[in-house]
Amino acid sequence: MKDFSDFFFLNNFSSLFKISTLSLPLPPKKLIGNMEREFIAERQKGLQAYLDVITTHHILSNCELVKKFLDPNSYSVNYTEIALQHVSMFFRSEPKWEVAEPLKDIGWRIRKKYFLMKIKNQPKERLVLSWADLGPDKYLSDRDLQYAVKLLSSCSHPYIYKITFATANESSALVIRPFSEKGTLKDLIYKAKPKDPFLKKYCNPKKIQGLELQQIKTYGRQILEVLKFLHEKGFPYGHLHSANVMLDGDTCKLLDLENSLLGLPSFYRSYFSQFRKINTLEGVDVHCFGHLLYEMTYGRPPDTIPVESFPPAPSVFVVSVLESILTSEALKNGMPTVSRLLQMPLFSDVLLTNSEKPQFKIPTKLKEALKISKECIEKRLTEEQKLIHQHRRLTRAQSHHGSEEEKKKRKILARKKSKRSANESGEEHSAKYSNSNNSAGSGASSPLTSPSSPTPPSTAGMFKDHCSVYLYVVSLFPSAPQWCCCSQG
C-alpha cells in the first residue's frame, strides 16, 4: 500500500525522474486539513491521474524505478551486482580485456547492463560490453543457445554492426562490440550524447525535428534490406527500434541480434501485443519499422497507435508507407511484407553503394532449432493477444453495463414490467369475477351466496405476481424499504 509520501519521494527525490525533466501531475502537499474526507477523495483522484501518466508513458513505464515502485517484490534483485559478478568471472578466462567504466542506465532494460571496455595492449580502442539475463521467450536448449550466440561474431553484413566477442551460459549472455562515438540513430534524431542515461536522452527532448528526406529514404532502405536478409536466413529478430540501429558514417547497422536468442521482450511489445493480426516475427519487424519511420520523419514517436491522421511529411510517399503499417485499417488487415515495402516509391529508387557480400552460415540443425524457437515465440505472443482481447471485451461489457444510460434503461424497463404485471393481475381478477357471476347466473351447482356479498375471488395468484414484481424492483433498488405482501400473513 502506497501513501502520499511514497509518491512524493518518487517524483521529487528520484535521480532518474529528475533527469527525465518531465513535468508530472503530482497533487500538491497540504499540511492542514489533509485528513478531511473531501480532500482525501480529491487526492486519490490526483494520484490515480499521476499513475496513469507514468504507466502510459512508454519510456517511463519501462523504467526500473517505476516497476519497483509498483511491484517491489518482483523487482528486488540487484542486476548490476549480478552483472558485475558475471563480468568478473569472464575476465578471469579472458584477461586481455578490462573495464574502463560502467555505463549506467544507457539502456531501457532492467536486466541488461553495459560497461565501457578497453584492450590492455590497445588502450585507445574502446568497446562496449553488454550483459543480459535470459528472458521469457528463451526456447533454445542451453547447448543450442551457446552455439548460436558464439556464431553471431561470424556474421558479416554491411548493415549489421560487427560483434567482437559473444558467449552465453545457462543463465545469461555477454557480448562485446566496438564503441561508437557517433551513437545510434536515436541519438542522431534526439541530438543526444551516447553515454548519457536513456531517460535523459529520450524522455523529454528539447528540440523535436525529423531527418531530411534523403536520410529517411536511405536509412529506411538499408534497414529493410537487413530485415529481408535475416528473414530469408530464418533468423528471428523482433527487436527493431531506433536505439538498436548504430550509425557508421552514412550507414545504418543493426544491433542486438542476440536478443531474440536470449528470449528478451521487444521494446514495442506493449503495442503489437494488442493487435491479433501481428502474430509473426516478420510482422513484428514490419510494425516496429513503422514506429522507426515515424520517428525519423517527425523527430518523436507516435502519441498513440493506431494513427489515423499524420502531420505534414517531407513526401507523400512517406505517409503512404506509414498508412500501410500504423493505421487501424492496416492493423486490422495485417502488416505488409518487407519485400512489399521495398517496392514502394519511397525506397524503390534508392541506390545502395555498399559492395560487401553478406555472410552468415547457420548449420542445418541450428536452423531447425531456430525455427522451433520462432514458432514458440509466436505461439506465446498469440496466447497473450488472445488474453488481452478477452480482457478488453469484458471491460467494455462492464463499462457498458455500468453506464448511466444503461442504468436509466433498466429503470424504465423495470417500471414497464411492473405496470404490465399489475395490469395482467387486474385482468385476471376481472376474468375470475366475471366467471363467478356467469356460473351463478346459469344455475350451475355452486354454494349459495348473498347477492350483495358475492364470493371473493382467490388472491393467491395476485399476491404471487405482486411478489415477483417486488423482488425484481428490490434487485434494482436495494435501498428501498424491505416489505413484501407475502410477509403479511
Side-chain angles (χ1 to χ4, degrees):
M1 190 73 176
K2 303 290 182 183
D3 57 26
F4 181 75
S5 60
D6 296 317
F7 284 88
F8 188 79
F9 183 85
L10 174 71
N11 190 74
N12 295 291
F13 296 102
S14 160
S15 59
L16 283 178
F17 266 36
K18 281 184 178 180
I19 64 173
S20 74
T21 69
L22 282 172
S23 178
L24 299 169
L26 183 71
K29 268 190 169 184
K30 187 177 181 181
L31 298 177
I32 300 173
N34 59 5
M35 297 303 291
E36 295 173 359
R37 183 178 296 178
E38 294 80 5
F39 173 75
I40 292 173
E42 193 63 30
R43 173 173 277 182
Q44 284 178 339
K45 289 181 181 177
L47 292 177
Q48 185 59 55
Y50 178 82
L51 276 179
D52 290 344
V53 170
I54 291 174
T55 53
T56 54
H57 191 289
H58 187 55
I59 293 179
L60 278 184
S61 63
N62 284 297
C63 170
E64 181 177 10
L65 198 69
V66 172
K67 289 184 180 290
K68 281 186 174 180
F69 180 78
L70 297 174
D71 188 7
N73 294 330
S74 298
Y75 296 93
S76 57
V77 177
N78 188 329
Y79 282 97
T80 301
E81 288 185 4
I82 295 174
L84 283 170
Q85 291 172 9
H86 282 269
V87 171
S88 299
M89 291 174 63
F90 165 72
F91 283 133
R92 289 175 191 171
S93 58
E94 298 286 343
K96 66 176 182 178
W97 282 302
E98 63 181 1
V99 173
E101 62 177 287
L103 298 171
K104 293 183 178 180
D105 305 312
I106 67 165
W108 66 277
R109 294 186 187 278
I110 296 173
R111 297 177 175 88
K112 193 168 190 177
K113 302 300 175 183
Y114 298 86
F115 303 88
L116 193 64
M117 309 282 297
K118 62 182 179 181
I119 303 174
K120 288 183 178 179
N121 59 1
Q122 299 175 18
K124 290 185 178 181
E125 187 175 349
R126 290 289 186 267
L127 304 106
V128 173
L129 181 151
S130 64
W131 172 90
D133 196 13
L134 303 182
D137 277 325
K138 185 262 180 184
Y139 294 106
L140 290 173
S141 67
D142 290 345
R143 183 178 178 182
D144 286 336
L145 173 66
Q146 292 169 19
Y147 184 67
V149 169
K150 285 183 178 180
L151 196 66
L152 292 176
S153 58
S154 68
C155 177
S156 176
H157 191 284
Y159 309 125
I160 292 178
Y161 201 62
K162 182 66 178 174
I163 291 175
T164 306
F165 179 87
T167 186
N169 56 30
E170 66 282 353
S171 63
S172 62
L174 183 150
V175 179
I176 298 176
R177 295 178 175 89
F179 175 72
S180 171
E181 294 287 349
K182 196 171 182 179
T184 64
L185 180 57
K186 202 173 188 78
D187 292 327
L188 174 67
I189 295 170
Y190 290 79
K191 299 171 178 59
K193 297 177 181 177
K195 287 198 217 178
D196 282 345
F198 199 85
L199 282 178
K200 182 179 180 179
K201 290 191 287 187
Y202 311 131
C203 207
N204 188 29
K206 295 178 181 178
K207 188 177 180 182
I208 297 174
Q209 184 178 352
L211 303 181
E212 298 291 332
L213 179 59
Q214 192 55 48
Q215 288 177 305
I216 295 170
K217 288 168 67 73
T218 303
Y219 295 161
R221 176 66 186 265
Q222 291 170 350
I223 293 165
L224 288 174
E225 288 290 346
V226 70
L227 289 178
K228 183 183 176 185
F229 173 78
L230 291 174
H231 293 175
E232 289 173 349
K233 287 287 182 181
F235 190 92
Y237 185 52
H239 292 271
L240 179 63
H241 61 92
S242 56
N244 266 357
V245 179
M246 191 66 78
L247 283 177
D248 184 6
D250 292 327
T251 304
C252 280
K253 299 194 173 187
L254 216 57
L255 285 169
D256 286 3
L257 264 64
E258 70 273 12
N259 283 358
S260 60
L261 303 177
L262 306 181
L264 304 183
S266 170
F267 184 64
Y268 291 120
R269 188 177 184 91
S270 60
Y271 289 96
F272 60 73
S273 60
Q274 300 179 50
F275 305 105
R276 300 173 80 179
K277 285 290 184 178
I278 307 175
N279 51 19
T280 65
L281 285 184
E282 290 84 358
V284 167
D285 284 335
V286 170
H287 180 72
C288 295
F289 179 78
H291 283 261
L292 188 149
L293 181 61
Y294 189 102
E295 204 170 8
M296 286 197 293
T297 305
Y298 301 111
R300 59 179 179 83
D303 295 325
T304 57
I305 299 294
V307 182
E308 302 303 346
S309 166
F310 295 92
S315 168
V316 293
F317 295 143
V318 175
V319 175
S320 65
V321 176
L322 291 172
E323 286 176 340
S324 72
I325 301 173
L326 298 180
T327 59
S328 56
E329 184 180 356
L331 294 165
K332 183 179 178 181
N333 296 328
M335 296 291 98
T337 63
V338 170
S339 298
R340 172 73 187 98
L341 293 177
L342 284 167
Q343 292 170 1
M344 296 183 79
L346 183 62
F347 306 116
S348 60
D349 62 348
V350 176
L351 296 175
L352 301 177
T353 56
N354 201 308
S355 58
E356 182 185 343
K357 187 178 179 181
Q359 287 185 344
F360 192 21
K361 293 182 180 179
I362 303 174
T364 305
K365 283 188 178 180
L366 183 59
K367 270 189 178 181
E368 187 60 31
L370 289 173
K371 181 183 176 183
I372 295 171
S373 173
K374 177 178 176 290
E375 289 170 354
C376 292
I377 293 170
E378 291 169 348
K379 182 181 178 182
R380 194 176 82 87
L381 173 60
T382 302
E383 290 170 352
E384 184 178 319
Q385 290 169 334
K386 185 178 179 181
L387 289 174
I388 291 172
H389 179 70
Q390 290 172 347
H391 176 73
R392 277 180 166 179
R393 288 184 64 184
L394 178 62
T395 304
R396 281 199 298 266
Q398 290 173 340
S399 177
H400 176 72
H401 192 69
S403 67
E404 290 299 322
E405 186 180 350
E406 280 300 304
K407 287 179 182 177
K408 287 179 182 178
K409 285 181 181 178
R410 288 198 296 273
K411 287 179 182 178
I412 294 169
L413 184 64
R415 292 192 195 106
K416 287 181 178 179
K417 194 167 184 179
S418 177
K419 287 180 181 178
R420 193 184 311 120
S421 297
N423 291 337
E424 288 173 355
S425 298
E427 289 172 2
E428 183 181 346
H429 173 80
S430 299
K432 287 183 178 180
Y433 184 75
S434 176
N435 290 337
S436 176
N437 284 344
N438 290 339
S439 298
S442 62
S445 176
S446 62
L448 294 173
T449 59
S450 168
S452 60
S453 302
T455 303
S458 173
T459 57
M462 182 171 66
F463 277 119
K464 184 179 179 183
D465 288 340
H466 284 170
C467 184
S468 300
V469 173
Y470 165 78
L471 290 173
Y472 181 76
V473 173
V474 165
S475 70
L476 294 171
F477 306 100
S479 60
Q482 301 299 301
W483 178 89
C484 178
C485 55
C486 296
S487 65
Q488 304 306 304

